[in-house]
Amino acid sequence: MSAIEIPCVLMRGGTSKGPYIDLADLPPDREARDRVLLRIMGSPDARQIDGLGGADTLTSKVALVGVSERPGIDVDYLFAQVSIERPFVDTEPPCGNMLSGVGPFAIERGMVAATDPTTRVRIFNVNANAVIEAVVQTPDGTVTYDGTTSIDGVPGQAAPVVLNFSDVVGGKTGSLLPTGNVRDVIEGTEVSCIDAGMPMVIVRADTLRLSGGEDGAFFAANSELMARIESMRRAAGARMGMGDVRDTVVPKVGIVSGPVAGGTIRSRYLTPHALHKAHAVTGGICVATAACMPGCVGHEVSEVSGSPSERVVIEHPSGTLEVRLEIAENDEGWTVAAAGVVRTARKIMSGQVFVSEEDWNGR
């Protein structure tokens, strides 16, 4: 049986990594597409030995990109989180780290014409129903990945990719505060349920009897704590109007505490069944919003200025993530007008990934 070749580019986007693929090169049917993605990544298998996956949630990701037919938008971006040990592809959550490579990929694939010295790519994130402008370094009309920008969680330096988010509120639930409250009590614990960039359940570390500085090994070794957090997450998902969330990774959980290294707030971001080694970008927007919003459990442990234009530095296990936030309160409540972050990306390889006709057709 002959193999089917699918063009792809393996890239690091932010603190994540995975193949970037043109949507036009995949089956249009979702079931067939997911089957092909599982095969590409080598799932289900704990080592993903037979595919491109790296046996880690941060490296079992795929960015699907296509020319957009939406007015004022260059490309559509659909993020796919490929389960490692289950035959499941989750396209519910967004990924702001993989988003970092969408602009460079779109330019190099000819979806967007490059300009000198930078190119602005208007991206519609299908997962989050949000618009993002990516500013990519393109001196002389050519994408460059070399630069002097560093981001925590990634060794070395690279060219900056500026991500300007708009329409970040209510992408999944329709509102910034999907329960209607700035604070709720779920299973005896005070939380804030927020949908800004990513729907999240924000909980203070001390209410879980944590310091806020715990590492991944701590969470992996505490199954009772993780079971409690998962129960709270599922209950919160129902209250947020998301239904039964046991088979999806949203809402995510953010465990927040006061900063200890000169930042604004400290966060431990769960993916949700393990600790993120750094921090999700979209989750960072949500944590930053929680830090800036009076009454939220995140606000009472943060050190914000109260300015409508806030620079929020989130301390995470690998360092910090800086979010520029435009947030204000009006007669209708709180609103987040815009958010901006700086990431980097690197093209690692370009070529074809192979699947069988059986994978493609499902026979």
Side-chain angles (χ1 to χ4, degrees):
M1 182 176 294
S2 61
I4 293 175
E5 300 181 11
I6 302 172
C8 83
V9 176
L10 184 66
M11 297 182 68
R12 175 189 61 76
T15 56
S16 297
K17 183 174 68 176
Y20 287 67
I21 301 174
D22 190 331
L23 276 163
D25 292 327
L26 291 170
D29 175 71
R30 175 170 180 168
E31 182 179 345
R33 183 196 71 204
D34 289 356
R35 184 173 58 246
V36 168
L37 293 181
L38 287 164
R39 183 59 171 159
I40 287 172
M41 300 303 284
S43 293
D45 174 59
R47 294 188 298 157
Q48 292 183 317
I49 192 65
D50 206 31
L52 296 179
D56 187 290
T57 56
L58 301 185
T59 55
S60 189
K61 300 182 173 187
V62 184
L64 307 176
V65 185
V67 175
S68 181
E69 297 181 356
R70 307 171 199 269
I73 301 297
D74 296 312
V75 294
D76 291 337
Y77 157 55
L78 178 67
F79 166 68
Q81 180 74 58
V82 180
S83 176
I84 297 173
E85 297 185 335
R86 291 194 300 142
F88 179 62
V89 177
D90 194 354
T91 55
E92 284 295 315
C95 179
N97 277 300
M98 290 291 281
L99 173 65
S100 309
V102 171
F105 174 80
I107 295 167
E108 293 195 326
R109 285 298 300 263
M111 298 177 184
V112 179
T115 56
D116 180 23
T118 63
T119 302
R120 296 177 181 271
V121 183
R122 295 277 290 175
I123 303 166
F124 183 80
N125 186 345
V126 179
N127 312 80
N129 295 311
V131 176
I132 305 97
E133 178 188 68
V135 183
V136 182
Q137 303 300 305
T138 52
D140 299 321
T142 302
V143 174
T144 181
Y145 297 94
D146 295 329
T148 58
T149 298
S150 300
I151 61 173
D152 290 332
V154 176
Q157 299 174 320
V161 178
V162 179
L163 301 175
N164 296 314
F165 292 78
S166 57
D167 300 325
V168 298
V169 170
K172 284 296 181 185
T173 66
S175 63
L176 180 63
L177 299 172
T179 68
N181 307 311
V182 72
R183 170 183 309 230
D184 293 281
V185 176
I186 294 181
E187 299 189 351
T189 302
E190 281 194 324
V191 304
S192 290
C193 300
I194 300 175
D195 186 357
M198 170 80 74
M200 288 187 67
V201 184
I202 308 293
V203 57
R204 269 184 20 209
D206 58 358
T207 62
L208 297 175
R209 297 185 179 180
L210 302 176
S211 70
E214 287 76 8
D215 61 13
F218 172 86
F219 288 100
N222 283 270
S223 58
E224 186 175 335
L225 171 65
M226 294 301 285
R228 177 187 174 190
I229 292 172
E230 174 63 10
S231 179
M232 290 169 52
R233 188 186 77 88
R234 293 184 186 183
R239 288 204 199 182
M240 296 168 75
M242 302 179 70
D244 187 346
V245 299
R246 73 182 66 195
D247 289 328
T248 184
V249 297
V250 289
K252 297 292 178 67
V253 176
I255 301 173
V256 298
S257 57
V260 296
T264 308
I265 191 170
R266 182 166 58 168
S267 174
R268 292 299 183 261
Y269 182 84
L270 301 181
T271 63
H273 306 302
L275 179 68
H276 196 296
K277 292 179 175 63
H279 208 287
V281 170
T282 48
I285 293 172
C286 195
V287 170
T289 301
C292 295
M293 192 184 306
C296 174
V297 297
H299 183 266
E300 59 196 25
V301 296
S302 70
E303 296 184 6
V304 292
S305 69
S307 169
S309 298
E310 193 78 51
R311 172 181 173 267
V312 180
V313 178
I314 301 168
E315 299 175 3
H316 58 68
S318 296
T320 61
L321 169 67
E322 181 176 321
V323 179
R324 300 278 182 168
L325 203 66
E326 300 288 335
I327 183 169
E329 186 178 20
N330 54 37
D331 293 340
E332 298 179 357
W334 286 92
T335 180
V336 180
V341 298
V342 176
R343 298 276 86 188
T344 65
R346 187 173 90 86
K347 182 168 65 173
I348 298 170
M349 62 79 63
S350 178
Q352 291 77 39
V353 62
F354 299 91
V355 299
S356 69
E357 291 183 359
E358 183 179 54
D359 297 324
W360 188 276
N361 297 315
R363 294 196 301 268

